[in-house]
Amino acid sequence: MLAGHGFEVVLVLAVAATYYGAARIGLLQQLVREQVTPLWPPTGLALAALLVFGARVWPGIALGAFLVNVTLGPSVLAVLAIAAGNTLAPLGALFLLRRARFRPELDRLRDVLALIFLGALAGMLISSTIGTGALVLSGAVDAGDFWSTWSVWWTGDAMGVLVVTPFLLVLRRIRWPVRASPARWLEAAALAAGTLLVTLLATRTAHSSLLFLVSPCLIWAAFRFRLEGAAPCALAVSILAIMAAASGAGPFDDEDLFATMVTLQAFNGTTALTALLLAAVITERNRTHDELSRLCNRFALMLTQLDPGTDPYEEPPEHPPP
């Protein structure tokens, strides 16, 4: 019993420490004040932890959120409110996903759609509303800037779910492919290098239309490596795009906050949706193909086990009464 409680405490503290570390990384690319970023990794991490370990780890999320905001918040009440919103948002997303019978494997199209609409878009309304309201009430943000701050907060939390949560869920179940052929390793290396180079080129060039040059890389990752390739590629592309936006490079040069956020989040959203949806569709297609192949093989085996001289479709002869 004591060992079980000790494990629970360690698990909660590990979640808190990981949440805090992810938050410090996310704050390096803040666009509004010091609390609002275009991609908030702790939200994706928190939802992934809840999906894997259950609701029992919520104190770790609350502790991590409090430790992050206590050095940033304008007042104690604002810090408590923001930490509460950061805790309630992934818990609300978990509740909605469980009601939808969500599977963390993300191997069905319905699971990806549930993560998008319930986990990201709906669940993150809680944290953005509570957090922005706390900043306005504390005087840290002007009331006239409520909606601009709210939109950045909401999209940042939503992107954290769309980009970070799938990556962590894939990372949890991935196995080192020791038996993979050299050609497979070479293809994976080419995909990683190509994705990074194309993204760097697209995000450092002034023409925003070049951003979508990364789409072929995402399609390649989804077709050849499914979610195990699509999720890491989407995360890498989003991080590089955010770094360019934070430094005002490429298509984000000389743009105001609203224009930057529209361009950035449209790109990040398209990237995540392309990768996740295509990987799920391909996984379902392959699974259906495998199931049909097994059924055909089973049926063929049943036919071969019949008497070779007997036609399985021939009606049995009628026997005259004695």
Side-chain angles (χ1 to χ4, degrees), residues 3-19 45 48-50 52-61 63:
H5 286 299
F7 174 77
E8 296 288 336
V9 172
V10 172
L11 181 61
V12 167
L13 293 178
V15 170
T18 309
Y19 187 103
L45 185 145
L50 290 171
V52 174
F53 301 109
R56 58 180 175 167
V57 299
W58 75 264
I61 299 172
L63 176 60

Side-chain angles (χ1 to χ4, degrees), residues 251-277:
F252 310 104
D253 187 23
D254 295 331
E255 289 191 349
D256 57 19
L257 175 62
F258 179 77
T260 297
M261 286 302 303
V262 169
T263 303
L264 176 63
Q265 299 300 43
F267 173 68
N268 283 343
T270 302
T271 297
L273 294 180
T274 299
L276 296 179
L277 292 174

Side-chain angles (χ1 to χ4, degrees), residues 42-54 57 90 164-166 168-169 172:
T43 302
L45 185 145
L47 182 56
L50 290 171
L51 290 170
V52 174
F53 301 109
V57 299
V164 177
T165 299
L168 294 177
L169 293 178
R172 171 176 172 264

Side-chain angles (χ1 to χ4, degrees), residues 26-112:
L27 288 172
L28 296 176
Q29 305 299 331
Q30 58 86 20
L31 293 183
V32 179
R33 203 173 179 268
E34 291 184 348
Q35 282 129 321
V36 186
T37 68
L39 173 64
W40 187 237
T43 302
L45 185 145
L47 182 56
L50 290 171
L51 290 170
V52 174
F53 301 109
R56 58 180 175 167
V57 299
W58 75 264
I61 299 172
L63 176 60
F66 176 79
L67 293 177
V68 170
N69 289 284
V70 73
T71 59
L72 305 173
S75 66
V76 175
L77 291 179
V79 169
L80 292 175
I82 294 172
N86 290 341
T87 305
L88 291 174
L91 283 172
L94 177 68
F95 172 78
L96 294 175
L97 291 174
R98 283 182 172 177
R99 296 280 294 180
R101 301 184 182 276
F102 173 82
R103 290 197 329 207
E105 290 77 13
L106 290 173
D107 56 353
R108 301 180 302 176
L109 181 60
R110 59 169 295 181
D111 295 323
V112 174

Side-chain angles (χ1 to χ4, degrees), residues 139-157:
V141 172
D142 294 335
D145 295 331
F146 176 88
W147 288 113
S148 61
T149 304
W150 181 91
S151 62
V152 176
W153 196 311
W154 177 59
T155 53
D157 281 357

